[in-house]
Amino acid sequence: MAANFWTSSHFKQLLDQEEVDVVQALDKDRGITLEDFKLIKMHMANYILKLAQLVKVRQRVVATAITYMRRVYTRKSMTEYDPRLVTPTCLYLASKAEESTVQARLLVFYIKKIQSDEKYKYEIKHILEMEMKILEALDYYLVVFHPYRALSQLLQDAGLNDINMTQLTWGLVNDTYKMDLILVHPPYLIALACIYIASVLREKDTTAWFEELHVDMNVVKNISIEILDFYENHRMITEERIISALGKLPMKS
Amino acid sequence: MAVTAPGQLNVNESPSWGSRSVDCFEKLEQIGEGTYGQVYMARELKTGEIVALKKIRMDNEREGFPITAIREIKILKKLHHENVIKLKEIVTSPGPEKDEQGKPDGNKYKGGIYMVFEYMDHDLTGLADRPGMRFSVPQIKCYMRQLLTGLHYCHVNQVLHRDIKGSNLLIDNEGNLKLADFGLARSFSNDHNANLTNRVITLWYRPPELLLGSTKYGPAVDMWSVGCIFAELLHGKPIFPGKDEPEQLNKIFELCGAPDEVNWPGVSKIPWYNNFKPTRPMKRRLREVFRHFDRHALELLEKMLTLDPSQRISAKDALDAEYFWTDPLPCDPKSLPKYESSHEFQTKKKRQQQRQHEETAKRQKLQHPQHARLPPIQQSGQAHAQMRPVPNQPIHGSQQPVAAGPSHHFGKPRGPPGPGRYPGGNPPSGYNHSSRGGGQGGYGNTQYAQGRGAAPYGSGNMSGAGPRGGAGGGGGYGVGAPNYPQNGPYPGSSGTGRGSNVMGGNRNQQYGWQQQ
């Protein structure tokens, strides 16, 4: 991707956590709480992943699609923009933007295959129509930076690029997309937080290496804590809780 | 944040996100038309600023928003440079639009989407094709330096343009040159591991590695195109006007020699090398053919038109070439002459008339000397005197830049002189990315031959003709620019200057190197 994150629209669009955690008025009216909001986004991130595995696209496309979806909901309500349609459409758009185009009919085919619930069943024309709305909601900013590239460079620099650490950190980065971190923090800090967690878990001494980086370790640690908190809470999330949150969404129009 | 009811758009306010309506602009005239969609010159109502609106055609209902438009938007949104066209914003039109026949516009979901660009007066090919136009050496250096600066910026930002050609280099009346039409561009990673399509770049400007089927390539592909343009500016006409891929490669080999494992290690492993391997030995003749070029120009050209992409000069190194740092130095863009552009979109009916006129003109062809571009005066000593278009040549003295009509090649009703220049009639068309159809201009294609009006936002895909108005015939432009003094714009008759002599007469003999 672009050489310079700091001049990118992604950097300029980074938000504060408080800005991300805003439930739109229309959604509030339907009783959707901040917790519901987060759960639905997490559920939809998983939905993107599931679809992506079927249509066979790279992790990068998944990450971009989830980022689009999360950006859309900083600006649009779930009431007007049904996540069950927005989600596959974000994957569709991301596949184009990341040069791994997936045909709309293929996507629709797999949606029908894995979703027995009527509420998920949208046709090609719905996806194409939503694509336009999403493009507009994103203000046509389609370039997203991800922690993956920084991750492999940093691991190499730290001399931690063995298979074990690579897989662990890569998995951690994947899991960060279940949260809104990508909207709030620069990707390299997310990568560093994942390395930090992994090195603690695997008891690697990285203190000296981190010191030499001249990054704000407080930010890295805060991101790490956020990730660990997420894992902690994640275990408590039941299927019923998600179904209840999704139940607050309006019926398919 | 502006709040509107669903389905409504902000017309007056500038929303913090989302897009404004096209109603914020007053369309002045259509200045291009093609496969990509129409292009309009328009005025922003609030500011009075003149812009170019390029409509994104949404007629592929099965796959939604065109990927070419996605690529272009994605890339232009992240490139900000004085030598790269500026995408100002994207606007939408609120209701379904109707085409000329009153049928609803292809997309039934939305009215239409327009990319709003800064307005540019000319494109390089159009400017070069103006009758009697002769670029000075400092002017060529100035354009080349801007081209390389813009391209270097793209490459640093890991963007390959993949369609560098004269009609995609827009020029304004301040002498600024900007890269446009990023519809084929894409991001690349430095490792060159990704497989990319080799069906890019207009044939005449396509490098040998793509013609040989390579799918792993990098910024060097753009540098080949730059070399072709550079040579074209110095030579006065395209240097590799192939009509299909095999002929294109052959033309390249005739000038640059045949590739082998010595001059291009690894070439024999490129997919189609064995299919196109020349049967006879071919020597590199570049220095010999272009021996009349300035020494530093030739030296730089040699490095750009290097067969092996890994040895080809980069944009950055090209900017450091002696050529740009020896007298005459590149001039200040602002010191360049201004040429008035006119934009007269003409209807199909008029185009029809145009063709009839051209037919008539063709019959009178023998009365008209053939037109060709004037290569610059190669003696550097004269160059400063050449700052204005051929001011010291009496035969061109009658030509006022303002009267010269369009400088966008696509709009030119006049054709290049006869079939000799563009064998095959329709050269670059059809060699591009499938979704784009024919040869592209700055902002898209046009199929409209325009009398005088032209714009940089399209390229001339006049039916059956090459993008430069191919089949029009030698006399064509007397018709398009009726105000022309008949004896004025035809440099072939002048015999003045070193360049003109070379360009006159029978071109099949002049450029014999391609036939030998």
PDB file of all heavy atoms in Angstrom, chain A residues 1 3 76 92 96-97 99 101 104 128 131-132 136 139-141, chain B residues 17-19 61 63 65 67 71 74 77 90 92 109 113 156 158:
ATOM      1  N   MET A   1       0.830  -1.212   0.000  1.00  0.00           N
ATOM      2  CA  MET A   1       0.000   0.000   0.000  1.00  0.00           C
ATOM      3  C   MET A   1       0.860   1.255   0.000  1.00  0.00           C
ATOM      4  O   MET A   1       2.044   1.190  -0.234  1.00  0.00           O
ATOM      5  CB  MET A   1      -0.894  -0.007   1.251  1.00  0.00           C
ATOM      6  CG  MET A   1      -2.295  -0.464   0.958  1.00  0.00           C
ATOM      7  SD  MET A   1      -2.983   0.390  -0.454  1.00  0.00           S
ATOM      8  CE  MET A   1      -3.593  -0.972  -1.371  1.00  0.00           C
ATOM      9  N   ALA A   3       3.128   4.283   0.741  1.00  0.00           N
ATOM     10  CA  ALA A   3       4.368   4.260   1.482  1.00  0.00           C
ATOM     11  C   ALA A   3       4.204   4.954   2.827  1.00  0.00           C
ATOM     12  O   ALA A   3       4.835   4.585   3.804  1.00  0.00           O
ATOM     13  CB  ALA A   3       5.457   4.933   0.671  1.00  0.00           C
ATOM     14  N   LYS A  76     -23.352   6.085  10.350  1.00  0.00           N
ATOM     15  CA  LYS A  76     -24.700   5.688   9.942  1.00  0.00           C
ATOM     16  C   LYS A  76     -25.294   4.753  10.990  1.00  0.00           C
ATOM     17  O   LYS A  76     -24.575   4.031  11.677  1.00  0.00           O
ATOM     18  CB  LYS A  76     -24.656   4.950   8.596  1.00  0.00           C
ATOM     19  CG  LYS A  76     -24.070   5.757   7.457  1.00  0.00           C
ATOM     20  CD  LYS A  76     -25.028   6.841   6.992  1.00  0.00           C
ATOM     21  CE  LYS A  76     -24.455   7.567   5.790  1.00  0.00           C
ATOM     22  NZ  LYS A  76     -25.305   8.698   5.388  1.00  0.00           N
ATOM     23  N   TYR A  92     -17.618  -7.220  -0.334  1.00  0.00           N
ATOM     24  CA  TYR A  92     -17.660  -7.080  -1.788  1.00  0.00           C
ATOM     25  C   TYR A  92     -16.808  -5.882  -2.235  1.00  0.00           C
ATOM     26  O   TYR A  92     -15.964  -5.985  -3.131  1.00  0.00           O
ATOM     27  CB  TYR A  92     -19.123  -6.903  -2.211  1.00  0.00           C
ATOM     28  CG  TYR A  92     -19.334  -6.699  -3.684  1.00  0.00           C
ATOM     29  CD1 TYR A  92     -18.956  -7.668  -4.605  1.00  0.00           C
ATOM     30  CD2 TYR A  92     -19.934  -5.531  -4.161  1.00  0.00           C
ATOM     31  CE1 TYR A  92     -19.163  -7.482  -5.961  1.00  0.00           C
ATOM     32  CE2 TYR A  92     -20.149  -5.335  -5.509  1.00  0.00           C
ATOM     33  CZ  TYR A  92     -19.760  -6.318  -6.412  1.00  0.00           C
ATOM     34  OH  TYR A  92     -19.953  -6.124  -7.757  1.00  0.00           O
ATOM     35  N   LYS A  96     -12.853  -5.547  -4.171  1.00  0.00           N
ATOM     36  CA  LYS A  96     -12.491  -4.728  -5.339  1.00  0.00           C
ATOM     37  C   LYS A  96     -11.313  -3.827  -4.995  1.00  0.00           C
ATOM     38  O   LYS A  96     -10.355  -3.718  -5.752  1.00  0.00           O
ATOM     39  CB  LYS A  96     -13.667  -3.851  -5.765  1.00  0.00           C
ATOM     40  CG  LYS A  96     -14.790  -4.563  -6.457  1.00  0.00           C
ATOM     41  CD  LYS A  96     -15.802  -3.504  -6.931  1.00  0.00           C
ATOM     42  CE  LYS A  96     -17.078  -4.143  -7.427  1.00  0.00           C
ATOM     43  NZ  LYS A  96     -18.078  -3.108  -7.782  1.00  0.00           N
ATOM     44  N   ALA A  97     -11.428  -3.168  -3.853  1.00  0.00           N
ATOM     45  CA  ALA A  97     -10.394  -2.198  -3.486  1.00  0.00           C
ATOM     46  C   ALA A  97      -9.044  -2.873  -3.256  1.00  0.00           C
ATOM     47  O   ALA A  97      -8.002  -2.271  -3.469  1.00  0.00           O
ATOM     48  CB  ALA A  97     -10.823  -1.426  -2.238  1.00  0.00           C
ATOM     49  N   GLU A  99      -8.040  -5.536  -4.883  1.00  0.00           N
ATOM     50  CA  GLU A  99      -7.668  -6.269  -6.102  1.00  0.00           C
ATOM     51  C   GLU A  99      -7.828  -7.778  -5.986  1.00  0.00           C
ATOM     52  O   GLU A  99      -7.019  -8.544  -6.489  1.00  0.00           O
ATOM     53  CB  GLU A  99      -6.215  -5.932  -6.516  1.00  0.00           C
ATOM     54  CG  GLU A  99      -5.942  -4.458  -6.745  1.00  0.00           C
ATOM     55  CD  GLU A  99      -6.482  -3.946  -8.080  1.00  0.00           C
ATOM     56  OE1 GLU A  99      -6.865  -4.766  -8.927  1.00  0.00           O
ATOM     57  OE2 GLU A  99      -6.520  -2.717  -8.242  1.00  0.00           O
ATOM     58  N   THR A 101     -11.118  -9.246  -6.585  1.00  0.00           N
ATOM     59  CA  THR A 101     -12.552  -9.132  -6.827  1.00  0.00           C
ATOM     60  C   THR A 101     -13.306 -10.458  -6.659  1.00  0.00           C
ATOM     61  O   THR A 101     -12.879 -11.493  -7.140  1.00  0.00           O
ATOM     62  CB  THR A 101     -12.797  -8.582  -8.241  1.00  0.00           C
ATOM     63  OG1 THR A 101     -11.971  -7.441  -8.403  1.00  0.00           O
ATOM     64  CG2 THR A 101     -14.241  -8.199  -8.448  1.00  0.00           C
ATOM     65  N   ALA A 104     -20.442 -10.657  -7.205  1.00  0.00           N
ATOM     66  CA  ALA A 104     -21.567 -10.471  -6.293  1.00  0.00           C
ATOM     67  C   ALA A 104     -22.427 -11.736  -6.215  1.00  0.00           C
ATOM     68  O   ALA A 104     -22.894 -12.115  -5.144  1.00  0.00           O
ATOM     69  CB  ALA A 104     -22.402  -9.273  -6.744  1.00  0.00           C
ATOM     70  N   LEU A 128     -25.501  -4.304  -4.610  1.00  0.00           N
ATOM     71  CA  LEU A 128     -25.010  -3.232  -5.475  1.00  0.00           C
ATOM     72  C   LEU A 128     -25.540  -1.867  -5.038  1.00  0.00           C
ATOM     73  O   LEU A 128     -24.835  -0.862  -5.088  1.00  0.00           O
ATOM     74  CB  LEU A 128     -25.381  -3.505  -6.941  1.00  0.00           C
ATOM     75  CG  LEU A 128     -24.845  -4.813  -7.531  1.00  0.00           C
ATOM     76  CD1 LEU A 128     -25.071  -4.864  -9.035  1.00  0.00           C
ATOM     77  CD2 LEU A 128     -23.366  -5.002  -7.214  1.00  0.00           C
ATOM     78  N   GLU A 131     -23.684  -0.909  -1.977  1.00  0.00           N
ATOM     79  CA  GLU A 131     -22.309  -0.540  -2.297  1.00  0.00           C
ATOM     80  C   GLU A 131     -22.186   0.975  -2.510  1.00  0.00           C
ATOM     81  O   GLU A 131     -21.267   1.619  -1.999  1.00  0.00           O
ATOM     82  CB  GLU A 131     -21.839  -1.284  -3.559  1.00  0.00           C
ATOM     83  CG  GLU A 131     -20.381  -1.002  -3.906  1.00  0.00           C
ATOM     84  CD  GLU A 131     -19.983  -1.553  -5.268  1.00  0.00           C
ATOM     85  OE1 GLU A 131     -20.829  -1.655  -6.172  1.00  0.00           O
ATOM     86  OE2 GLU A 131     -18.800  -1.889  -5.420  1.00  0.00           O
ATOM     87  N   MET A 132     -23.129   1.522  -3.230  1.00  0.00           N
ATOM     88  CA  MET A 132     -23.107   2.965  -3.478  1.00  0.00           C
ATOM     89  C   MET A 132     -23.233   3.743  -2.174  1.00  0.00           C
ATOM     90  O   MET A 132     -22.547   4.728  -1.954  1.00  0.00           O
ATOM     91  CB  MET A 132     -24.264   3.371  -4.397  1.00  0.00           C
ATOM     92  CG  MET A 132     -24.173   2.860  -5.801  1.00  0.00           C
ATOM     93  SD  MET A 132     -22.600   3.235  -6.554  1.00  0.00           S
ATOM     94  CE  MET A 132     -22.462   4.949  -6.148  1.00  0.00           C
ATOM     95  N   GLU A 136     -20.406   6.215  -0.347  1.00  0.00           N
ATOM     96  CA  GLU A 136     -20.694   7.576   0.070  1.00  0.00           C
ATOM     97  C   GLU A 136     -20.432   7.753   1.565  1.00  0.00           C
ATOM     98  O   GLU A 136     -19.850   8.745   1.979  1.00  0.00           O
ATOM     99  CB  GLU A 136     -22.152   7.888  -0.274  1.00  0.00           C
ATOM    100  CG  GLU A 136     -22.377   9.343  -0.531  1.00  0.00           C
ATOM    101  CD  GLU A 136     -23.738   9.577  -1.166  1.00  0.00           C
ATOM    102  OE1 GLU A 136     -24.736   9.568  -0.444  1.00  0.00           O
ATOM    103  OE2 GLU A 136     -23.786   9.772  -2.394  1.00  0.00           O
ATOM    104  N   ASP A 139     -17.061   8.299   2.281  1.00  0.00           N
ATOM    105  CA  ASP A 139     -16.550   9.469   1.571  1.00  0.00           C
ATOM    106  C   ASP A 139     -15.503   9.045   0.524  1.00  0.00           C
ATOM    107  O   ASP A 139     -14.570   9.781   0.227  1.00  0.00           O
ATOM    108  CB  ASP A 139     -15.963  10.491   2.549  1.00  0.00           C
ATOM    109  CG  ASP A 139     -15.848  11.869   1.916  1.00  0.00           C
ATOM    110  OD1 ASP A 139     -16.431  12.062   0.837  1.00  0.00           O
ATOM    111  OD2 ASP A 139     -15.187  12.742   2.505  1.00  0.00           O
ATOM    112  N   TYR A 140     -15.679   7.866   0.004  1.00  0.00           N
ATOM    113  CA  TYR A 140     -14.820   7.323  -1.053  1.00  0.00           C
ATOM    114  C   TYR A 140     -13.371   7.116  -0.610  1.00  0.00           C
ATOM    115  O   TYR A 140     -12.491   6.904  -1.429  1.00  0.00           O
ATOM    116  CB  TYR A 140     -14.874   8.181  -2.330  1.00  0.00           C
ATOM    117  CG  TYR A 140     -16.272   8.316  -2.878  1.00  0.00           C
ATOM    118  CD1 TYR A 140     -17.097   9.366  -2.483  1.00  0.00           C
ATOM    119  CD2 TYR A 140     -16.779   7.369  -3.760  1.00  0.00           C
ATOM    120  CE1 TYR A 140     -18.393   9.478  -2.963  1.00  0.00           C
ATOM    121  CE2 TYR A 140     -18.072   7.469  -4.255  1.00  0.00           C
ATOM    122  CZ  TYR A 140     -18.874   8.525  -3.859  1.00  0.00           C
ATOM    123  OH  TYR A 140     -20.151   8.630  -4.332  1.00  0.00           O
ATOM    124  N   TYR A 141     -13.123   7.172   0.676  1.00  0.00           N
ATOM    125  CA  TYR A 141     -11.772   6.857   1.156  1.00  0.00           C
ATOM    126  C   TYR A 141     -11.681   5.351   1.339  1.00  0.00           C
ATOM    127  O   TYR A 141     -12.323   4.787   2.208  1.00  0.00           O
ATOM    128  CB  TYR A 141     -11.472   7.577   2.473  1.00  0.00           C
ATOM    129  CG  TYR A 141     -11.082   9.011   2.255  1.00  0.00           C
ATOM    130  CD1 TYR A 141     -11.977  10.042   2.527  1.00  0.00           C
ATOM    131  CD2 TYR A 141      -9.828   9.335   1.743  1.00  0.00           C
ATOM    132  CE1 TYR A 141     -11.630  11.364   2.297  1.00  0.00           C
ATOM    133  CE2 TYR A 141      -9.473  10.647   1.513  1.00  0.00           C
ATOM    134  CZ  TYR A 141     -10.372  11.660   1.795  1.00  0.00           C
ATOM    135  OH  TYR A 141     -10.027  12.958   1.562  1.00  0.00           O
TER     136      TYR A 141
ATOM    137  N   TRP B  17     -19.086  14.503   5.628  1.00  0.00           N
ATOM    138  CA  TRP B  17     -18.861  13.232   4.931  1.00  0.00           C
ATOM    139  C   TRP B  17     -20.006  13.053   3.969  1.00  0.00           C
ATOM    140  O   TRP B  17     -20.971  13.810   3.966  1.00  0.00           O
ATOM    141  CB  TRP B  17     -18.767  12.073   5.902  1.00  0.00           C
ATOM    142  CG  TRP B  17     -19.842  12.049   6.938  1.00  0.00           C
ATOM    143  CD1 TRP B  17     -19.767  12.537   8.201  1.00  0.00           C
ATOM    144  CD2 TRP B  17     -21.190  11.592   6.770  1.00  0.00           C
ATOM    145  NE1 TRP B  17     -20.944  12.389   8.836  1.00  0.00           N
ATOM    146  CE2 TRP B  17     -21.843  11.800   7.997  1.00  0.00           C
ATOM    147  CE3 TRP B  17     -21.889  11.014   5.728  1.00  0.00           C
ATOM    148  CZ2 TRP B  17     -23.187  11.458   8.192  1.00  0.00           C
ATOM    149  CZ3 TRP B  17     -23.219  10.664   5.928  1.00  0.00           C
ATOM    150  CH2 TRP B  17     -23.859  10.884   7.153  1.00  0.00           C
ATOM    151  N   GLY B  18     -19.930  12.028   3.149  1.00  0.00           N
ATOM    152  CA  GLY B  18     -20.950  11.882   2.131  1.00  0.00           C
ATOM    153  C   GLY B  18     -20.617  12.819   0.995  1.00  0.00           C
ATOM    154  O   GLY B  18     -19.619  13.527   1.040  1.00  0.00           O
ATOM    155  N   SER B  19     -21.417  12.826  -0.032  1.00  0.00           N
ATOM    156  CA  SER B  19     -21.032  13.648  -1.167  1.00  0.00           C
ATOM    157  C   SER B  19     -22.080  14.681  -1.499  1.00  0.00           C
ATOM    158  O   SER B  19     -23.255  14.523  -1.216  1.00  0.00           O
ATOM    159  CB  SER B  19     -20.736  12.761  -2.372  1.00  0.00           C
ATOM    160  OG  SER B  19     -21.552  11.625  -2.350  1.00  0.00           O
ATOM    161  N   GLU B  61     -24.467  -3.662 -14.601  1.00  0.00           N
ATOM    162  CA  GLU B  61     -25.346  -3.824 -13.448  1.00  0.00           C
ATOM    163  C   GLU B  61     -25.000  -5.040 -12.614  1.00  0.00           C
ATOM    164  O   GLU B  61     -25.419  -5.171 -11.489  1.00  0.00           O
ATOM    165  CB  GLU B  61     -26.796  -3.905 -13.921  1.00  0.00           C
ATOM    166  CG  GLU B  61     -27.255  -2.567 -14.455  1.00  0.00           C
ATOM    167  CD  GLU B  61     -28.726  -2.588 -14.827  1.00  0.00           C
ATOM    168  OE1 GLU B  61     -29.521  -3.213 -14.124  1.00  0.00           O
ATOM    169  OE2 GLU B  61     -29.074  -1.966 -15.842  1.00  0.00           O
ATOM    170  N   GLU B  63     -21.912  -6.044 -11.692  1.00  0.00           N
ATOM    171  CA  GLU B  63     -20.808  -5.887 -10.747  1.00  0.00           C
ATOM    172  C   GLU B  63     -20.669  -4.478 -10.166  1.00  0.00           C
ATOM    173  O   GLU B  63     -19.601  -4.065  -9.732  1.00  0.00           O
ATOM    174  CB  GLU B  63     -19.494  -6.374 -11.347  1.00  0.00           C
ATOM    175  CG  GLU B  63     -19.424  -7.905 -11.521  1.00  0.00           C
ATOM    176  CD  GLU B  63     -19.714  -8.728 -10.238  1.00  0.00           C
ATOM    177  OE1 GLU B  63     -19.542  -8.204  -9.135  1.00  0.00           O
ATOM    178  OE2 GLU B  63     -20.126  -9.895 -10.387  1.00  0.00           O
ATOM    179  N   PHE B  65     -20.260  -0.822  -8.842  1.00  0.00           N
ATOM    180  CA  PHE B  65     -19.341   0.287  -9.056  1.00  0.00           C
ATOM    181  C   PHE B  65     -18.091  -0.237  -9.779  1.00  0.00           C
ATOM    182  O   PHE B  65     -17.451  -1.170  -9.303  1.00  0.00           O
ATOM    183  CB  PHE B  65     -18.962   0.875  -7.700  1.00  0.00           C
ATOM    184  CG  PHE B  65     -18.464   2.271  -7.766  1.00  0.00           C
ATOM    185  CD1 PHE B  65     -19.345   3.335  -7.835  1.00  0.00           C
ATOM    186  CD2 PHE B  65     -17.101   2.535  -7.765  1.00  0.00           C
ATOM    187  CE1 PHE B  65     -18.882   4.634  -7.895  1.00  0.00           C
ATOM    188  CE2 PHE B  65     -16.638   3.837  -7.826  1.00  0.00           C
ATOM    189  CZ  PHE B  65     -17.527   4.880  -7.890  1.00  0.00           C
ATOM    190  N   ILE B  67     -14.617  -1.330 -11.128  1.00  0.00           N
ATOM    191  CA  ILE B  67     -13.341  -1.456 -10.426  1.00  0.00           C
ATOM    192  C   ILE B  67     -12.323  -0.442 -10.932  1.00  0.00           C
ATOM    193  O   ILE B  67     -11.488   0.042 -10.175  1.00  0.00           O
ATOM    194  CB  ILE B  67     -12.787  -2.895 -10.512  1.00  0.00           C
ATOM    195  CG1 ILE B  67     -11.505  -3.035  -9.677  1.00  0.00           C
ATOM    196  CG2 ILE B  67     -12.487  -3.309 -11.935  1.00  0.00           C
ATOM    197  CD1 ILE B  67     -11.413  -4.231  -8.837  1.00  0.00           C
ATOM    198  N   ARG B  71     -10.270   1.886  -8.475  1.00  0.00           N
ATOM    199  CA  ARG B  71      -8.814   2.052  -8.493  1.00  0.00           C
ATOM    200  C   ARG B  71      -8.436   3.511  -8.596  1.00  0.00           C
ATOM    201  O   ARG B  71      -7.580   4.006  -7.872  1.00  0.00           O
ATOM    202  CB  ARG B  71      -8.230   1.348  -9.718  1.00  0.00           C
ATOM    203  CG  ARG B  71      -8.194  -0.137  -9.599  1.00  0.00           C
ATOM    204  CD  ARG B  71      -7.235  -0.691 -10.649  1.00  0.00           C
ATOM    205  NE  ARG B  71      -7.317  -2.133 -10.651  1.00  0.00           N
ATOM    206  CZ  ARG B  71      -7.798  -2.852 -11.677  1.00  0.00           C
ATOM    207  NH1 ARG B  71      -8.189  -2.247 -12.778  1.00  0.00           N
ATOM    208  NH2 ARG B  71      -7.855  -4.150 -11.599  1.00  0.00           N
ATOM    209  N   LYS B  74      -9.377   5.443  -5.376  1.00  0.00           N
ATOM    210  CA  LYS B  74      -8.529   5.014  -4.269  1.00  0.00           C
ATOM    211  C   LYS B  74      -7.138   5.643  -4.385  1.00  0.00           C
ATOM    212  O   LYS B  74      -6.592   6.159  -3.420  1.00  0.00           O
ATOM    213  CB  LYS B  74      -8.422   3.484  -4.351  1.00  0.00           C
ATOM    214  CG  LYS B  74      -7.923   2.801  -3.125  1.00  0.00           C
ATOM    215  CD  LYS B  74      -7.931   1.290  -3.327  1.00  0.00           C
ATOM    216  CE  LYS B  74      -6.545   0.799  -3.645  1.00  0.00           C
ATOM    217  NZ  LYS B  74      -6.465  -0.659  -3.810  1.00  0.00           N
ATOM    218  N   LYS B  77      -7.147   9.589  -4.293  1.00  0.00           N
ATOM    219  CA  LYS B  77      -7.416  10.114  -2.953  1.00  0.00           C
ATOM    220  C   LYS B  77      -6.151  10.136  -2.103  1.00  0.00           C
ATOM    221  O   LYS B  77      -6.087  10.822  -1.095  1.00  0.00           O
ATOM    222  CB  LYS B  77      -8.488   9.263  -2.257  1.00  0.00           C
ATOM    223  CG  LYS B  77      -9.898   9.627  -2.687  1.00  0.00           C
ATOM    224  CD  LYS B  77     -10.627  10.309  -1.552  1.00  0.00           C
ATOM    225  CE  LYS B  77     -12.038  10.716  -1.967  1.00  0.00           C
ATOM    226  NZ  LYS B  77     -12.701  11.468  -0.907  1.00  0.00           N
ATOM    227  N   ILE B  90     -16.050  13.909  -5.110  1.00  0.00           N
ATOM    228  CA  ILE B  90     -16.955  13.072  -5.886  1.00  0.00           C
ATOM    229  C   ILE B  90     -18.355  13.550  -5.590  1.00  0.00           C
ATOM    230  O   ILE B  90     -18.709  13.794  -4.433  1.00  0.00           O
ATOM    231  CB  ILE B  90     -16.766  11.595  -5.521  1.00  0.00           C
ATOM    232  CG1 ILE B  90     -15.412  11.139  -6.063  1.00  0.00           C
ATOM    233  CG2 ILE B  90     -17.876  10.733  -6.098  1.00  0.00           C
ATOM    234  CD1 ILE B  90     -14.865   9.941  -5.414  1.00  0.00           C
ATOM    235  N   THR B  92     -22.652  13.233  -6.558  1.00  0.00           N
ATOM    236  CA  THR B  92     -23.641  12.311  -7.099  1.00  0.00           C
ATOM    237  C   THR B  92     -24.813  13.110  -7.622  1.00  0.00           C
ATOM    238  O   THR B  92     -25.001  14.268  -7.258  1.00  0.00           O
ATOM    239  CB  THR B  92     -24.142  11.345  -6.011  1.00  0.00           C
ATOM    240  OG1 THR B  92     -24.534  12.113  -4.878  1.00  0.00           O
ATOM    241  CG2 THR B  92     -23.063  10.379  -5.607  1.00  0.00           C
ATOM    242  N   TYR B 109     -30.052   2.416  -9.636  1.00  0.00           N
ATOM    243  CA  TYR B 109     -29.995   2.631  -8.191  1.00  0.00           C
ATOM    244  C   TYR B 109     -29.702   4.077  -7.839  1.00  0.00           C
ATOM    245  O   TYR B 109     -30.120   4.589  -6.838  1.00  0.00           O
ATOM    246  CB  TYR B 109     -28.914   1.735  -7.584  1.00  0.00           C
ATOM    247  CG  TYR B 109     -29.060   0.321  -8.041  1.00  0.00           C
ATOM    248  CD1 TYR B 109     -28.119  -0.258  -8.857  1.00  0.00           C
ATOM    249  CD2 TYR B 109     -30.188  -0.422  -7.696  1.00  0.00           C
ATOM    250  CE1 TYR B 109     -28.266  -1.556  -9.306  1.00  0.00           C
ATOM    251  CE2 TYR B 109     -30.346  -1.712  -8.132  1.00  0.00           C
ATOM    252  CZ  TYR B 109     -29.378  -2.282  -8.935  1.00  0.00           C
ATOM    253  OH  TYR B 109     -29.529  -3.551  -9.383  1.00  0.00           O
ATOM    254  N   ILE B 113     -22.652   9.239 -10.820  1.00  0.00           N
ATOM    255  CA  ILE B 113     -21.541   9.646  -9.981  1.00  0.00           C
ATOM    256  C   ILE B 113     -20.547  10.372 -10.857  1.00  0.00           C
ATOM    257  O   ILE B 113     -20.260   9.942 -11.977  1.00  0.00           O
ATOM    258  CB  ILE B 113     -20.901   8.423  -9.311  1.00  0.00           C
ATOM    259  CG1 ILE B 113     -21.942   7.760  -8.417  1.00  0.00           C
ATOM    260  CG2 ILE B 113     -19.693   8.813  -8.493  1.00  0.00           C
ATOM    261  CD1 ILE B 113     -21.616   6.356  -8.102  1.00  0.00           C
ATOM    262  N   VAL B 156       7.227   6.399  -5.662  1.00  0.00           N
ATOM    263  CA  VAL B 156       7.575   6.433  -4.245  1.00  0.00           C
ATOM    264  C   VAL B 156       6.363   6.008  -3.410  1.00  0.00           C
ATOM    265  O   VAL B 156       6.487   5.327  -2.406  1.00  0.00           O
ATOM    266  CB  VAL B 156       8.045   7.855  -3.833  1.00  0.00           C
ATOM    267  CG1 VAL B 156       8.015   8.021  -2.327  1.00  0.00           C
ATOM    268  CG2 VAL B 156       9.443   8.112  -4.359  1.00  0.00           C
ATOM    269  N   GLN B 158       4.295   3.934  -4.289  1.00  0.00           N
ATOM    270  CA  GLN B 158       3.992   2.574  -4.722  1.00  0.00           C
ATOM    271  C   GLN B 158       2.752   2.481  -5.593  1.00  0.00           C
ATOM    272  O   GLN B 158       1.905   1.613  -5.427  1.00  0.00           O
ATOM    273  CB  GLN B 158       3.906   1.649  -3.503  1.00  0.00           C
ATOM    274  CG  GLN B 158       5.307   1.388  -2.977  1.00  0.00           C
ATOM    275  CD  GLN B 158       5.293   0.725  -1.635  1.00  0.00           C
ATOM    276  OE1 GLN B 158       4.789   1.288  -0.662  1.00  0.00           O
ATOM    277  NE2 GLN B 158       5.848  -0.466  -1.567  1.00  0.00           N
TER     278      GLN B 158
END
